[in-house]
Amino acid sequence: MSSPSWTQLVGSRLDQYDIKAQLSTCGISRVYLAQDSASGREVTIKITVFDPGDHPHFVATSLRNWEAVRHLRHPNIVAVHDIGEGDGFAYLVTQYASGGTLRHLLREKSPLPVPDATCYTVQIAYALQYLHEQGIVHCDVKPANIFLERPGSSLALLADFGIARIPGAQAVTWSGSVIGTPCYMSPECAMGHDRDGRSDIYSLGCVLYEALAGRLPFVGVSPISVLYQQVHARPTDIRDFNPAIPAELAQIVEKALAKRPDERFATAEAFGRALLPFAGKLPDLTN
C-alpha cells in the first residue's frame, strides 16, 4: 500500500483491516475504526504518516515504543493487537473502546460527579502503577488518552504510548520543542528536567482537577503561559469552582499537584488508594 490519502482510507483495506470510519486526528496521525477480517472484531488503527525528512527520529522512536508496550497486559490499559509499517506510514492496531474518551465525556458533562471522577482516576492510577513498576513513564496522561470501554461503562482504559519513556529506548524529542501537553505537564517536565512516575501522578492530578472543577488548574493565552504557571503558580482552590467537593478530597488533589515531586504521592498506587473512599463502585476486573 502506498502512502495513504486521508480522504481515501475509509472503505479501503490496510493489510487485514477494513477501514470503516475516521475517529479523530492527532498531529501527524489519524485514528480509524476498522474491522479485523481475521478475527472479526472491531479495532482501532492509529496511522502515522512520515517521510525521511519529516521527524524520522520521532516516528522511529514511536515504533520502538509501540513494540515495547505490545506485551503490556492490564485491565486498565488498552490492548495492543498489531503493529505494521508501509511505504511512508506506520500503524498501530489496538483494542476498540466504543465509549469514547474522557475528553468527550467532559465536553458533554462537566464537572463530573465526585464518585465518577474519582472512579476513573483510581483505575488510571493503578494502570500507571503497573507501568511504573516496569520502568515505563507514560509522559502524556490527559483526558484524550483515557478511554471508556463502552458507552455508560465505568471501565477506564489508558492509551497512547507514543512519547512514553521506555527502559533502554531513547526519549522522543524534537529540536527546540517540549514534548507533551502543556495543560497536563508537570513542573519538572516544563523546565526540561528528567521525569519519573511522579510526573505522571501530577498529570493525572490535573485530569482529576479538571473533572471535578469543570476547568483546568491552569489556563493561558499560549502554551508558554501555561507552562510558566505549571512551574510558578498555585492552582486556585478546587472548591472555589465546586463547593460540593469534600475538603479531604481537595487536599488529595492538592498533594498530587505539588510542585516538588517529593511532595506528591510516592507512587501512583498510593494516589489511587487515597481516592478510594470517594470513588463510586469500581468495575469488576476479575473476568
Side-chain angles (χ1 to χ4, degrees):
M1 179 177 177
S2 60
S3 296
S5 166
W6 305 128
T7 59
Q8 298 174 356
L9 268 182
V10 175
S12 67
R13 171 171 285 196
L14 173 58
D15 292 337
Q16 69 193 55
Y17 306 103
D18 295 313
I19 309 295
K20 300 171 64 175
Q22 181 172 312
L23 299 176
S24 64
T25 64
C26 180
I28 59 175
S29 301
R30 300 293 186 274
V31 180
Y32 295 91
L33 171 64
Q35 188 92 23
D36 183 346
S37 61
S39 67
R41 65 188 170 195
E42 289 187 316
V43 296
T44 298
I45 299 185
K46 179 178 182 179
I47 298 177
T48 300
V49 171
F50 62 97
D51 61 58
D54 184 18
H55 308 303
H57 166 69
F58 177 83
V59 175
T61 303
S62 294
L63 285 169
R64 288 195 298 271
N65 283 4
W66 291 350
E67 191 62 49
V69 301
R70 193 172 185 171
H71 71 283
L72 296 178
R73 295 292 182 271
H74 189 277
N76 296 115
I77 294 177
V78 167
V80 175
H81 297 317
D82 194 9
I83 297 169
E85 186 175 1
D87 181 16
F89 70 95
Y91 66 86
L92 173 71
V93 182
T94 63
Q95 169 187 357
Y96 173 52
S98 61
T101 67
L102 182 58
R103 167 57 59 222
H104 296 141
L105 182 61
L106 291 177
R107 287 173 180 159
E108 297 172 357
K109 183 181 180 182
S110 182
L112 295 182
V114 166
D116 294 349
T118 51
C119 176
Y120 299 139
T121 306
V122 167
Q123 295 175 71
I124 300 305
Y126 290 164
L128 290 173
Q129 180 68 30
Y130 171 78
L131 294 179
H132 298 164
E133 289 173 353
Q134 299 182 66
I136 299 173
V137 183
H138 188 279
C139 298
D140 201 20
V141 178
K142 58 184 179 182
N145 287 337
I146 297 172
F147 286 76
L148 304 184
E149 181 192 31
R150 60 183 183 276
S153 171
S154 61
L155 179 58
L157 302 165
L158 182 62
D160 201 334
F161 294 83
I163 64 171
R165 280 187 173 273
I166 308 291
Q170 190 172 359
V172 178
T173 57
W174 286 358
S175 179
S177 299
V178 175
I179 298 298
T181 307
C183 292
Y184 305 94
M185 193 175 291
S186 68
E188 60 270 23
C189 181
M191 291 187 290
H193 297 167
D194 197 14
R195 68 187 90 176
D196 58 22
R198 294 170 296 181
S199 184
D200 282 344
I201 292 171
Y202 183 95
S203 298
L204 186 57
C206 291
V207 172
L208 179 58
Y209 186 107
E210 181 181 9
L212 291 171
R215 54 153 286 164
L216 286 157
F218 301 112
V219 295
V221 297
S222 69
I224 294 298
S225 67
V226 174
L227 291 174
Y228 180 88
Q229 292 175 74
Q230 296 285 25
V231 176
H232 299 289
R234 290 178 59 87
T236 302
D237 188 326
I238 194 170
R239 290 183 296 167
D240 288 355
F241 301 114
N242 186 350
I245 296 171
E248 295 85 354
L249 177 55
Q251 292 171 357
I252 293 170
V253 176
E254 182 178 3
K255 183 173 182 178
L257 294 178
K259 298 298 181 187
R260 292 170 52 91
D262 58 3
E263 294 177 354
R264 298 173 204 149
F265 291 94
T267 66
E269 182 180 22
F271 183 23
R273 289 191 179 279
L275 294 171
L276 281 176
F278 307 97
K281 183 178 179 181
L282 296 176
D284 183 3
L285 303 178
T286 58
N287 296 324

